[in-house]
């Protein structure tokens, strides 16, 4: 069974640009969550999607958004990129929000120049 | 009230020794406590998890001890091996509130041969 797949693995952008990251959950998993990992702030929750609906949102500005498709695949978008957005963005999936555990992908490393 | 405090920040253990990592939480609504292991360039991988109805859970060389009254839980790695050298994260969540994991700051474990 394939794990959580995130694409691309690496991205380099400049300030002011926007970026879209993709996540394919484990087959059969319908809940997808996104996390940001930085050396200074650690692992922080961004948002959670289930049945194409955002159920939870972390304390991030509106420049961070996401969506989920009918096949449970998810995308997150960051607009007007800032230097501080440089991070590892991780996606995790679970069967449903209340049906743990969550399994993580290997992330997308986003670097802002 | 959403914080999870983890210690120590780093830990050096000799091969064959016991590694102990501690976490404390504040939110009494938390009811699911997983531990994740992360290697460089990889996403966090679930090691073991516990719910508050038990005080201890063991899987192979890994044991979680849980103290509900003290709001603390710990990971014990028995017979530590150089291959266990990684960063370990404790986490907590309330399953009724969706899949939002709150992570500790992480512990970098080094097991010397």
């Amino acid at each position: 069974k394939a794990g959580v797949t995130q694409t691309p693995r690496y991205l380099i952008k400049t300030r002011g640009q926007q970026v879209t990251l993709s996540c394919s959950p484990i087959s059969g998993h319908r809940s997808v969550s996104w996390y940001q990992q930085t050396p200074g702030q650690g692992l922080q929750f961004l948002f959670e999607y289930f049945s194409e609906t955002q159920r939870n949102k972390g304390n991030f500005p509106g420049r961070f958004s996401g969506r989920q498709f009918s096949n449970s695949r998810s995308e997150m978008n960051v607009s007007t990129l800032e230097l501080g957005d440089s991070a590892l963005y991780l996606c995790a999936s679970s069967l449903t929000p209340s049906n743990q555990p969550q399994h993580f992908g290997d992330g997308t490393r986003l670097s802002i120049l | 009230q959403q914080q999870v405090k983890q210690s120590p920040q780093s830990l050096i253990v000799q091969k064959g020794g016991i590694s102990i990592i501690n976490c404390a939480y504040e939110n009494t609504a938390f009811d699911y406590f997983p531990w994740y292991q992360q290697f460089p360039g990889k996403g966090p991988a679930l090691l073991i998890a516990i719910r508050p109805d038990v005080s201890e859970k063991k899987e192979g060389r890994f044991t979680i001890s849980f103290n509900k009254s003290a709001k603390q839980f710990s990971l014990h790695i028995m017979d530590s091996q150089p291959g266990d050298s990684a960063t370990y994260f404790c986490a907590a969540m309330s399953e009724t509130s969706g899949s939002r994991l709150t992570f500790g700051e992480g512990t970098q474990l080094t097991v010397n041969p």
Side-chain angles (χ1 to χ4, degrees), chain A residues 37-97:
Chain A
Q37 185 174 24
T38 60
Q41 299 297 316
L43 279 151
Q44 292 189 292
F45 173 82
L46 278 158
F47 28 63
E48 173 200 0
Y49 286 88
F50 177 67
S51 294
E52 302 178 63
T53 302
Q54 186 181 92
R55 287 172 47 92
N56 251 314
K57 189 175 184 349
N59 189 24
F60 279 84
R63 300 184 296 107
F64 291 81
S65 63
R67 59 177 176 168
Q68 186 181 36
F69 302 96
S70 59
N71 62 357
S72 296
R73 191 177 70 84
S74 177
E75 289 181 347
M76 68 164 281
N77 184 277
V78 188
S79 62
T80 318
L81 287 165
E82 300 177 359
L83 292 176
D85 297 333
S86 293
L88 180 67
Y89 290 89
L90 293 159
C91 169
S93 75
S94 60
L95 284 168
T96 65

Side-chain angles (χ1 to χ4, degrees), chain A residues 9 31 33 35 37 43 45 48 55-59 88 90 94 96-106, chain B residues 32 34 36 38 41-46 49 51 87 89 93-105:
Chain A
R9 288 297 313 278
S31 174
S33 297
Y35 295 82
Q37 185 174 24
L43 279 151
F45 173 82
E48 173 200 0
R55 287 172 47 92
N56 251 314
K57 189 175 184 349
N59 189 24
L88 180 67
L90 293 159
S94 60
T96 65
S98 59
N99 197 331
Q100 297 299 308
Q102 291 178 57
H103 296 277
F104 284 80
D106 288 335
Chain B
Y32 177 73
Y36 285 86
Q38 187 176 28
K42 294 289 193 179
L46 179 71
R51 290 182 171 85
T87 302
F89 293 94
M93 64 175 279
S94 167
E95 289 190 294
T96 56
S97 300
S99 294
R100 178 179 187 150
L101 285 167
T102 299
F103 282 89
E105 299 91 339

